[in-house]
Amino acid sequence: AVHGDLAGRRVVVSAGGTREPLDPVRFLGNRSSGKQGIAIAEAARARGAQVTLVAANLEVAEPAGCDIRRVSTALELQAAVTEASRGADVVVMAAAVADYRPATVSEAKIKKDQSDDGLTLELVRNPDILAGLGHGPHDGTLLVGFAAETEPDDERILELGRAKREAKRADLLVVNRVGWTEGFAADENSAVVIGVDGEIVTRLHGSKVSVADGILDVVVSKLN
Ligand code: C5P
């Protein structure tokens, strides 16, 4: 990390996990804590960037010195990221976005039915926010995506990451393994950064703070 190497740059980071409401008291969510995204926002700030953090249901404290936009659902996150990304130098999509949301949100708390022993929920697809940015006009904005995979095999995880980078037209894709104990809530992370030719740009291990700086080292090299 070089002090001030992101000075004058505008960086947008999404972090956390979306919640998709079912009724006034329930939601479908995921186990993303927001730690890795927040570490990236803080590291970018420390390197001189002007940072907008689009924060979805963080489980950790909000970082100082960032412009914070709080959102909850995927659609809210899409609106905030799309707006903030206009004219940005870098967009890092670290948030875990729900692929589906309940087709309808009940006005009242959903009740158990005495005669039923199950309930079927109908879900509809959420927009892919990163793919939307990648496929739209985004001149001069470097797009960084994440892929959290549960596959045990490293080669398979890389393959999935390469396919995702291409499908979403991201400039960089950070791949890491998640599971019951690794990834989301942990303080440590291991990640591989994939570039536009599917090449491994770098492998990163360590605290989420050091992984954040490693990702930003690659970002800086692509900006210049
Ligand atoms: O397809 P998958 O969810 O694995 O892709 C992960 C990457 O895409 C992350 O960068 C995530 O923030 C982004 N994403 C998105 N909109 C979605 C789902 C994922 O921008 N609906």
Side-chain angles (χ1 to χ4, degrees), residues 2-224:
V2 181
H3 181 74
D5 62 359
L6 282 171
R9 301 293 193 175
R10 230 166 52 70
V11 175
V12 178
V13 181
S14 72
T18 66
R19 290 179 178 177
E20 308 298 325
L22 281 158
D23 68 20
V25 298
R26 302 189 181 97
F27 58 81
L28 299 177
N30 62 69
R31 297 180 53 233
S32 176
S33 62
K35 279 181 191 167
Q36 187 61 76
I38 283 170
I40 293 167
E42 279 184 318
R45 178 78 205 89
R47 293 165 78 144
Q50 183 194 324
V51 179
T52 301
L53 174 68
V54 179
N57 310 296
L58 301 180
E59 275 174 26
V60 288
E62 290 174 349
C66 300
D67 173 21
I68 297 177
R69 314 272 168 89
R70 293 183 197 90
V71 298
S72 191
T73 67
L75 292 177
E76 288 166 7
L77 193 137
Q78 179 185 40
V81 167
T82 303
E83 200 211 278
S85 69
R86 258 176 232 122
D89 296 290
V90 186
V91 176
V92 182
M93 282 293 298
V97 183
D99 293 321
Y100 302 92
R101 67 179 180 277
T104 57
V105 181
S106 174
E107 291 281 334
K109 197 178 156 195
I110 298 166
K111 300 279 190 294
K112 293 185 279 293
D113 187 318
Q114 304 303 346
S115 61
D116 280 343
D117 54 7
L119 172 70
T120 302
L121 295 174
E122 190 190 341
L123 305 178
V124 294
R125 267 303 269 276
N126 274 328
D128 189 314
I129 299 157
L130 179 59
L133 294 175
H135 287 255
H138 60 279
D139 209 28
T141 307
L142 191 86
L143 300 177
V144 184
F146 273 73
E149 305 294 351
T150 51
E151 253 79 3
D153 181 58
D154 282 340
E155 271 310 311
R156 178 80 190 122
I157 285 186
L158 277 176
E159 254 173 58
L160 292 169
R162 290 188 175 108
K164 265 178 202 180
R165 194 216 57 74
E166 198 170 324
K168 294 167 193 265
R169 296 199 193 154
D171 298 291
L172 296 168
L173 199 101
V174 183
V175 200
N176 63 326
R177 185 182 294 117
V178 298
W180 297 107
T181 56
E182 3 176 30
F184 282 166
D187 291 318
E188 299 267 312
N189 206 0
S190 291
V192 176
V193 181
I194 294 173
V196 284
D197 297 317
E199 79 281 15
I200 295 174
V201 182
T202 188
R203 291 176 185 274
L204 303 163
H205 311 272
S207 68
K208 287 188 174 174
V209 172
S210 74
V211 168
D213 265 316
I215 293 166
L216 291 178
D217 288 343
V218 179
V219 164
V220 166
S221 75
K222 300 290 176 192
L223 285 175
N224 298 326

